[in-house]
Amino acid sequence: MRHRDSDAMWLWWISVVGDLWFGVTWLLNQITKLRPRKCVPSISVLRDHLDQPDGGSDLPLLDVFINTVDPVDEPMLYTMNSILSILATDYPVEKYATYFSDDGGSLVHYEGLQLAAEFAASWVPFCRKHCVEPRAPESYFWAKMRGEYAGSAPKEFLDDHRRMRAAYEEFKARLDGLSAAIEQRSEACNRANGKDKEECANATWMADGSTQWQGTWIKPAKGHRKGHHPAILQVMLDQPSKDPELGMAASSDHPLDFSAVDARLPMLVYIAREKRPGYDHQKKAGAMNVQLRVSALLSNAPFIINFDGDHYVNNSQAFRAAICFMLDPRDGADTAFVQFPQRFDDVDPTDRYCNHNRMFFDATLLGLNGIQGPSFVGTGCMFRRVALYSADPPRWRPDDAKEAKASRYRPNMFGKSTSFINSMPAAANQERSVPSPATVGEAELADAMTCAYEDGTEWGNDVGWVYNIATEDVVTGFRLHRTGWRSTYCAMEPDAFRGTAPINLTERLYQILRWSGGSLEMFFSRFCPLLAGRRLHPMQRVAYINMTTYPVSTFFICMYYLYPVMWLFQGEFYIQRPFQTFALFVVVIIATVELIGMVEIRWAGLTLLDWVRNEQFYIIGTTGVYPMAMLHILLRSLGIKGVSFKLTAKKLTGGARERLAELYDVQWVPLLVPTVV
Ligand SMILES: O=c1ccn([C@@H]2O[C@H](COP(=O)(O)OP(=O)(O)O[C@H]3O[C@H](CO)[C@@H](O)[C@H](O)[C@H]3O)[C@@H](O)[C@H]2O)c(=O)[nH]1
Ligand SMILES: [Mn+2]
């Protein structure tokens, strides 16, 4: 091929390759959407099958994981609301246990959790008595619309509601004052106790005034700074009794009447894993793997559901909905995880920064649901425990199960804890009706939470959540799909879970950067979709290729944007003057693409705005963020550390207007420069 101006040939080639790239990726994107599948959980059928007439239940055991790091960036009020919504959810209390992981190791979280457990003693029976929804108090008390009364004591409702609200205000005030209270107490204790010993002069003291807090101290000190403290485990609420226990009748110091409701609370455990300098703690994935081991030793449920600290249970039937899919006679046994879409509160009405991401959650994931299942998106997901232990799904299990076990499970794959290894066979057993009493010693529990436990094991690799990647979620889901497991997408009305979204553009852009950087990283890692074996469905493979290579488009898009202004640099037009057939082609192509977009949003039940935001953020992403993601990969390949998992700061508490004011609070980020140009 020739051109009058041979200097321009490289530009021409880029545009040809670019056109090809866009054509092919567009096609690949479309074919993964050809067989969308909507699944509706039949919770009433589940009830008919598993609820016993005497009030008992045959539902399987469940472990709930919830993570948090920083009481400031992730406001405690939200975290504790999540805890309360979990404790009050509609699942048999003796059948589930909650593990709260505090990666900061701070006393304020510990005491906040204690307060929440205390408050739950009246909040949970209140929810049960009056069947309120949602069961996170903050959202419940400030809901704009309430459904019809569904409880059993309509006459008492208004009084109870008022009292509960007052109690909640008090709880909030105490939560708010916690940091200051701890600080004051510690200063007083230090003055009294630690004058002589310099080492503990600035200790943080627990409520009894005589015990030093093991985790991080208010002011960093040797052995107690952020990222340097021993492991802490505290069972805040014990495993409840097997039979219902009615609450207290109304009295002068306890005005709510709970004499007709079960007042038991589910088990609740506080965990702060050991942190030591010199170890890579692997952020969220590391924290969840510790939860996985500790829960195996304490309650060992066959199913696990995980939450980020800012996501709460909005629909108390959600756990049951996920269980429906896990126990489904058709492909339940092959299902490794059930993913719910992420939904957010408090996004500004026009969703300026595309936080809702509806195109992804409602169109893309539904498309995948018709193949091998949606990818794991980090929160609001129920897992099958044995799948995380890298077991094979039933349909791919070789006939001779023993042989399979020997070949898959390598020595020291899971670390040295014999109790943990002994717990593994029971984890596969869904029919266990009574939780195994925890017989493990404290030493063994502590050992499972140390940094050294994972040395030389497969944790973070072929076991548990995957390490060393900015998007541990997509990779972990991929690893399960690669082993032949499927997953199921579960959307329900009202939304199962809700969370908070980053409200200012800076945080949002960093989030996109982490996702796109992590995706590319995955493509160039041993988790590249091209390398997976035959258990990965061909279409699912295509979907994962799309999911991991999309940031590459940035190169072509940026070039296309430069073409029209090339003459600024060269003083000459390289662009051919548009001719009619060309213009016609362009118009037809654009029209078709838009038309297909419209069909898609109609089908997924979305609005035009969702779509516009999606397109808009795609352009912002491709011009502003993805080039950085590409750079990150380049740096990584040169051995330099790239994008890290920077915690997404959540909005601060305050009035709605105050919160939305942050919308315009753009700290000037280099990421946006190219977009603006
Ligand atoms: O050292 C750490 C860092 C983070 N977290 C927790 O990880 C969760 C997610 O962090 P966040 O900053 O809220 O990330 P988002 O940008 O909101 O994360 C989205 O994208 C992540 C993958 O990039 C997923 O893991 C998340 O579930 C998904 O919500 C939070 O609960 C944190 O408390 C830890 O437990 N330990
Ligand atoms: Mn989040």
Side-chain angles (χ1 to χ4, degrees):
M1 275 175 258
R2 250 179 285 139
H3 190 274
R4 262 182 287 118
D5 192 338
S6 58
D7 278 356
M9 279 310 280
W10 62 276
L11 284 174
W12 189 86
W13 271 115
I14 289 178
S15 93
V16 169
V17 175
D19 284 354
L20 243 150
W21 168 266
F22 286 120
V24 171
T25 49
W26 182 81
L27 262 176
L28 291 184
N29 254 307
Q30 299 312 308
I31 54 174
T32 58
K33 293 176 184 167
L34 290 180
R35 275 199 314 174
R37 192 170 82 139
K38 270 189 189 158
C39 307
V40 185
S42 17
I43 298 171
S44 57
V45 176
L46 189 77
R47 274 186 202 285
D48 293 347
H49 276 279
L50 298 181
D51 284 4
Q52 294 159 352
D54 64 351
S57 156
D58 289 330
L59 280 167
L61 301 185
L62 182 61
D63 285 335
V64 185
F65 294 176
I66 171 159
N67 294 81
T68 193
V69 199
D70 189 321
V72 178
D73 264 350
E74 300 177 294
M76 272 244 281
L77 182 64
Y78 293 97
T79 319
M80 294 310 150
N81 259 277
S82 308
I83 294 283
L84 289 166
S85 71
I86 293 169
L87 296 181
T89 202
D90 181 16
Y91 202 80
V93 264
E94 72 282 8
K95 297 276 173 130
Y96 74 109
T98 307
Y99 294 84
F100 176 85
S101 152
D102 172 17
D103 247 0
S106 57
L107 185 56
V108 60
H109 268 140
Y110 180 91
E111 293 192 3
L113 194 65
Q114 269 175 334
L115 284 183
E118 237 169 75
F119 179 67
S122 46
W123 172 249
V124 172
F126 168 78
C127 292
R128 290 195 190 128
K129 179 176 173 185
H130 298 294
C131 299
V132 305
E133 292 285 334
R135 297 185 176 184
E138 190 71 17
S139 330
Y140 169 68
F141 288 120
W142 279 269
K144 283 193 203 79
M145 284 206 308
R146 293 232 171 80
E148 253 171 51
Y149 182 79
S152 53
K155 286 207 199 81
E156 293 162 42
F157 177 62
L158 283 180
D159 274 346
D160 282 5
H161 178 96
R162 198 171 31 80
R163 293 201 182 100
M164 209 56 236
R165 182 161 177 169
Y168 178 62
E169 291 295 347
E170 199 191 312
F171 163 74
K172 262 171 56 167
R174 290 178 68 190
L175 209 58
D176 253 353
L178 216 49
S179 285
I182 293 174
E183 207 155 332
Q184 264 177 11
R185 173 209 306 158
S186 299
E187 266 170 30
C189 288
N190 284 329
R191 252 180 274 123
N193 297 325
K195 257 179 268 153
D196 33 347
K197 276 180 274 161
E198 204 204 316
E199 197 178 294
C200 33
N202 38 20
T204 301
W205 296 84
M206 295 177 71
D208 61 4
S210 60
T211 324
Q212 285 181 6
W213 172 245
Q214 291 272 292
T216 50
W217 285 356
I218 297 166
K219 293 191 192 77
K222 197 162 154 258
H224 294 276
R225 49 176 57 96
K226 219 173 165 186
H228 192 182
H229 59 82
I232 307 168
L233 182 137
Q234 176 68 46
V235 179
M236 295 258 171
L237 293 171
D238 281 319
Q239 174 68 49
S241 64
K242 225 184 134 239
D243 299 312
E245 282 166 20
L246 298 180
M248 285 198 287
S251 66
S252 55
D253 48 66
H254 180 269
L256 284 92
D257 177 31
F258 293 145
S259 58
V261 261
D262 185 3
R264 286 175 304 160
L265 295 176
M267 183 170 160
L268 175 65
V269 183
Y270 171 91
I271 297 177
R273 58 186 167 137
E274 184 197 29
K275 289 279 182 78
R276 261 203 277 161
Y279 268 94
D280 188 340
H281 296 286
Q282 302 291 354
K283 312 273 178 180
K284 180 179 168 184
M288 291 213 284
N289 282 340
V290 170
Q291 282 168 307
L292 193 58
R293 287 197 294 272
V294 170
S295 62
L297 299 179
L298 289 179
S299 50
N300 200 23
F303 298 109
I304 290 163
I305 188 157
N306 95 288
F307 295 101
D308 287 353
D310 55 334
H311 285 251
Y312 64 88
V313 183
N314 182 59
N315 183 336
S316 64
Q317 300 304 307
F319 291 6
R320 289 173 187 261
I323 292 286
C324 282
F325 292 120
M326 284 295 192
L327 303 186
D328 185 62
R330 278 152 303 177
D331 38 27
D334 286 311
T335 304
F337 60 96
V338 177
Q339 177 68 61
F340 291 82
Q342 291 187 17
R343 298 285 192 243
F344 303 100
D345 287 330
D346 284 357
V347 172
D348 64 298
T350 58
D351 190 13
R352 196 173 311 234
Y353 303 141
C354 191
N355 279 308
H356 284 312
N357 237 332
R358 296 298 287 245
M359 289 297 283
F360 175 72
F361 287 122
D362 297 58
T364 312
L365 289 191
L366 262 184
L368 287 180
N369 198 37
I371 313 171
Q372 205 175 343
S375 53
F376 167 44
V377 296
T379 172
C381 185
M382 182 178 286
F383 286 93
R384 186 179 294 274
R385 189 182 277 271
V386 289
L388 289 168
Y389 294 167
S390 95
D392 285 320
R395 64 173 161 165
W396 288 102
R397 221 163 270 168
D399 297 333
D400 188 358
K402 251 189 219 146
E403 194 186 310
K405 207 165 185 188
S407 65
R408 276 201 77 78
Y409 290 163
R410 298 177 289 282
N412 203 27
M413 193 167 169
F414 300 95
K416 294 206 178 62
S417 168
T418 35
S419 300
F420 177 77
I421 299 190
N422 293 340
S423 78
M424 290 174 57
N429 179 4
Q430 290 162 32
E431 282 81 40
R432 266 180 316 138
S433 56
V434 198
S436 58
T439 48
V440 276
E442 264 175 42
E444 207 155 5
L445 276 168
D447 181 47
M449 297 194 287
T450 56
C451 315
Y453 184 88
E454 296 181 352
D455 287 347
T457 65
E458 285 297 329
W459 285 96
N461 227 344
D462 279 337
V463 179
W465 281 271
V466 177
Y467 291 164
N468 290 324
I469 202 150
T471 47
E472 82 299 331
D473 42 4
V474 184
V475 195
T476 306
F478 170 77
R479 200 195 66 206
L480 296 171
H481 285 142
R482 187 182 71 174
T483 327
W485 290 96
R486 64 160 291 130
S487 59
T488 302
Y489 174 81
C490 178
M492 60 195 292
E493 264 311 312
D495 297 332
F497 313 119
R498 295 184 74 88
T500 45
I503 195 128
N504 72 53
L505 187 55
T506 316
E507 292 292 342
R508 178 77 175 112
L509 290 177
Y510 273 118
Q511 197 180 38
I512 299 186
L513 174 62
R514 199 172 78 210
W515 291 339
S516 51
S519 305
L520 271 178
E521 211 175 318
M522 177 173 156
F523 189 79
F524 293 105
S525 74
R526 70 185 197 86
F527 292 104
C528 174
L530 295 174
L531 301 179
R534 69 197 171 94
R535 293 184 184 184
L536 188 71
H537 189 287
M539 279 303 152
Q540 192 80 11
R541 190 187 307 264
V542 170
Y544 273 112
I545 292 173
N546 295 336
M547 251 184 272
T548 48
T549 54
Y550 69 92
V552 173
S553 310
T554 181
F555 175 72
F556 300 111
I557 291 213
C558 288
M559 285 314 283
Y560 281 19
Y561 279 170
L562 280 178
Y563 284 168
V565 290
M566 265 313 173
W567 55 274
L568 280 179
F569 307 111
Q570 303 270 338
E572 237 179 294
F573 272 101
Y574 279 140
I575 303 269
Q576 185 159 16
R577 201 164 291 146
F579 50 94
Q580 270 169 357
T581 5
F582 171 77
L584 197 71
F585 269 119
V586 172
V587 168
V588 169
I589 289 176
I590 292 179
T592 338
V593 171
E594 309 293 277
L595 199 76
I596 292 178
M598 292 300 117
V599 171
E600 203 176 326
I601 62 168
R602 288 303 301 205
W603 160 79
L606 303 181
T607 64
L608 202 60
L609 187 67
D610 292 321
W611 185 72
V612 170
R613 287 294 181 227
N614 191 62
E615 302 286 290
Q616 201 178 10
F617 247 76
Y618 176 73
I619 292 300
I620 296 182
T622 37
T623 51
V625 183
Y626 303 165
M628 286 296 290
M630 302 277 285
L631 194 70
H632 155 76
I633 285 304
L634 214 73
L635 290 181
R636 280 281 289 221
S637 62
L638 297 175
I640 307 168
K641 211 166 163 41
V643 180
S644 64
F645 193 136
K646 178 187 160 297
L647 187 74
T648 311
K650 312 303 178 312
K651 54 152 197 219
L652 300 169
T653 0
R657 191 173 311 149
E658 202 177 301
R659 267 176 250 161
L660 292 187
E662 268 188 58
L663 265 182
Y664 303 100
D665 187 15
V666 181
Q667 291 148 34
W668 194 239
V669 259
L671 292 184
L672 264 191
V673 174
T675 315
V676 174
V677 173

